[in-house]
Amino acid sequence: MNLIVIIVAVYLAAMIGIGLYAKRQVKSSTDYHLAGRRLGVTMMAGTLAATEIGGGSSVGVASKAYGDWGLSAGWYVVAAGIGIVLVSFVAPAMRRSMAVTVPEVIGRRYGAASQTITAVLGSVALVALAAVQITATATIVSTLGGVDLEWAILATGVAVIVYTWIGGMWSVTLTDFVQFFLIVGGFAIAVPVALHNAGGWESVVARLPEGQLGFTKIGVPTILGLVVLYFMTFSTGQEAVQRYYSARTPRVAVLGSLLCGGLMTVYAFIPAVLGLIALAVYPGINENSALSTVAVGLLPPVVAGLLLSAVISATLSSASGNMLGSSTIFIKDLLPKFSAKVTEENELKYSRIGVLVVGVLATLISLWSQAIIPLLIFAFTMRSTGPFCAFIAGLVLRKTSRLAGLVSIIVGTVAGFAWEVAGEPFGVAAIIAGSTCGVLSFWMIHVIDARRGRLVGDGAVPVQQDERAALS
């Protein structure tokens, strides 16, 4: 058997083993969804980074570097790191809320209708994001195993469903912690080896199209747009916010966020360089296969196996977080509205069923659309444009307008979707246009209701008395 395949198989077996170990710690739905709210700084930073460094930040960046963006594709990850750092400013409020989902906080402040709309948007977007990670993993499996991409997608979908179903957040956290160091280590080792076998940096540069090394080739507006996109999507995305909810204390949430942002920035341009090497040595291949082609063609089997295991770990960890997040929203915010059967005793069972349903849907979407970054950005836009202002305001304001929250969620979402369908006129990203409409509508109604004395609430997201003790 191919040594690369053996290394990847051993890695996957080890991850499943860690998941089975973690399963023993899952005694309740809180353990399954939030790891018992006991994550420390290092564990939180590791799981947050591993979740956000997924297919878009590895396979996607390499493919964009191979294509139109060149070296500047690394800004896609730098922007993510900056976005995570910005989220640290609201991280304490997230942790103090003692919530489980984003829609739960919105429901407390703005009512059931706002909660339901946000839950549907968030759950659907996370299914799409899980599909992205399945596609990214499948491109590697396809290249590595020499099988059709469709079969690779099916195999990957089954694997990630099982991986996520095993132990929930405890499983995801422990495996993410291992996976993050594998990601950074695997890529760091691969770059110098690939450069050497490609003839050195000067040889690679000589074979690249003109302008491919432009550090800001994608343009400053695009970079700033990505920072805003990431701040919005990380501050409202269930897969990220769920990690902040899982932190041991509000201070841990802040420090973990800052450490994660720094680690992502250090990693940022490594996959971009590998994409450039692929373009120089293998012009004309499918750009989504750039990373795996370099691994198989330019790296010794041991290094290639390590790199591909790192990429697979990045995509699988992100897919797991997305599946768990979507299932959590469905179980906590949607299912209770249609069924009275959800109780503390059977919630864990329903959560695992939810992961199974989400995984099947994500696999089907991956089969239908094999795009990576375009689908990623579309999902980010749809889940963030409307809920962003309502969620942040609900966390930090003592009193809010219930009507402002509902209207801003609807207006922002519709505006973002319309702007996306219109092809993003004037080069303005849909998430910018939609969120601007959402923010303006929120504050307009909020100010009017404030003057009329219609604001409600006596503090940012109420916390139960017994929960206050857990935060002290």
Side-chain angles (χ1 to χ4, degrees), residues 204-456:
V204 169
V205 170
R207 287 176 279 176
L208 292 176
E210 185 178 354
Q212 205 70 3
L213 291 177
F215 192 61
T216 57
K217 184 181 179 182
I218 60 174
V220 174
T222 300
I223 294 171
L224 294 177
L226 286 172
V227 171
V228 174
L229 180 149
Y230 273 121
F231 169 64
M232 291 177 59
T233 195
F234 290 158
S235 61
T236 56
Q238 179 66 26
E239 84 288 352
V241 175
Q242 200 161 342
R243 269 109 181 124
Y244 290 107
Y245 289 160
S246 302
R248 189 164 57 240
T249 65
R251 182 173 181 272
V252 166
V254 173
L255 295 178
S257 186
L258 293 174
L259 179 58
C260 173
L263 293 172
M264 291 182 72
T265 302
V266 170
Y267 162 85
F269 287 91
I270 297 177
V273 171
L274 290 172
L276 293 177
I277 294 172
L279 178 60
V281 181
Y282 303 106
I285 63 172
N286 184 312
E287 64 180 34
N288 280 351
S289 300
L291 197 59
S292 53
T293 300
V294 166
V296 174
L298 293 179
L299 299 178
V302 173
V303 179
L306 182 63
L307 174 64
L308 293 178
S309 294
V311 176
I312 290 174
S313 72
T315 53
L316 287 185
S317 62
S318 295
S320 295
N322 293 327
M323 286 185 183
L324 183 61
S326 182
S327 174
T328 302
I329 290 175
F330 179 75
I331 299 303
K332 289 288 189 180
D333 301 296
L334 294 176
L335 189 59
K337 298 183 183 300
F338 305 104
S339 173
K341 297 179 181 179
V342 181
T343 64
E344 182 66 28
E345 289 72 25
N346 63 22
E347 188 176 295
L348 186 56
K349 179 186 73 174
Y350 280 113
S351 296
R352 288 197 166 105
I353 294 174
V355 166
L356 177 61
V357 173
V358 168
V360 171
L361 291 175
T363 302
L364 292 176
I365 292 174
S366 180
L367 288 168
W368 171 68
S369 175
Q370 296 167 7
I372 296 180
I373 285 184
L375 184 59
L376 200 69
I377 292 177
F378 182 77
F380 283 166
T381 300
M382 288 301 95
R383 77 171 179 186
S384 299
T385 49
F388 169 72
C389 183
F391 180 62
I392 298 300
L395 285 172
V396 302
L397 295 182
R398 297 192 63 81
K399 293 186 177 183
T400 55
S401 164
R402 291 169 69 90
L403 180 61
L406 177 60
V407 170
S408 69
I409 290 169
I410 296 173
V411 169
T413 300
V414 172
F417 180 78
W419 204 262
E420 183 87 28
V421 172
E424 298 186 328
F426 313 111
V428 177
I431 194 168
I432 303 295
S435 61
T436 299
C437 292
V439 169
L440 291 176
S441 62
F442 180 94
W443 287 110
M444 187 187 314
I445 298 174
H446 181 84
V447 169
I448 293 173
D449 278 358
R451 291 175 178 174
R452 295 177 176 178
R454 294 180 178 176
L455 300 186
V456 295

Side-chain angles (χ1 to χ4, degrees), residues 100-254:
V100 178
T101 68
V102 170
E104 178 185 346
V105 171
I106 286 181
R108 293 180 190 175
R109 303 309 302 265
Y110 309 109
S114 297
Q115 180 178 7
T116 300
I117 295 171
T118 304
V120 171
L121 291 172
S123 188
V124 170
L126 284 167
V127 173
L129 292 174
V132 169
Q133 308 306 334
I134 290 173
T135 300
T137 306
T139 59
I140 300 167
V141 174
S142 176
T143 302
L144 186 63
V147 298
D148 291 339
L149 183 58
E150 288 75 14
W151 285 108
I153 288 173
L154 288 172
T156 301
V158 170
V160 76
I161 289 170
V162 174
Y163 169 85
T164 308
W165 179 87
I166 290 176
M169 183 61 80
W170 271 121
S171 174
V172 171
T173 298
L174 292 177
T175 51
D176 279 357
F177 186 73
V178 175
Q179 287 166 340
F180 174 74
F181 291 101
L182 181 60
I183 292 166
V184 175
F187 275 88
I189 293 172
V191 168
V193 177
L195 276 175
H196 174 76
N197 291 335
W201 178 247
E202 292 183 358
S203 175
V204 169
V205 170
R207 287 176 279 176
L208 292 176
E210 185 178 354
Q212 205 70 3
L213 291 177
F215 192 61
T216 57
K217 184 181 179 182
I218 60 174
V220 174
T222 300
I223 294 171
L224 294 177
L226 286 172
V227 171
V228 174
L229 180 149
Y230 273 121
F231 169 64
M232 291 177 59
T233 195
F234 290 158
S235 61
T236 56
Q238 179 66 26
E239 84 288 352
V241 175
Q242 200 161 342
R243 269 109 181 124
Y244 290 107
Y245 289 160
S246 302
R248 189 164 57 240
T249 65
R251 182 173 181 272
V252 166
V254 173

Side-chain angles (χ1 to χ4, degrees), residues 52-117:
E52 304 307 345
I53 297 177
S57 301
S58 54
V59 177
V61 168
S63 70
K64 283 296 185 181
Y66 187 95
D68 297 335
W69 288 7
L71 182 64
S72 66
W75 280 103
Y76 185 82
V77 185
V78 173
I82 296 173
I84 284 286
V85 170
L86 293 176
V87 175
S88 66
F89 288 97
V90 292
M94 290 180 184
R95 179 58 183 86
R96 283 194 294 267
S97 73
M98 293 297 290
V100 178
T101 68
V102 170
E104 178 185 346
V105 171
I106 286 181
R108 293 180 190 175
R109 303 309 302 265
Y110 309 109
S114 297
Q115 180 178 7
T116 300
I117 295 171

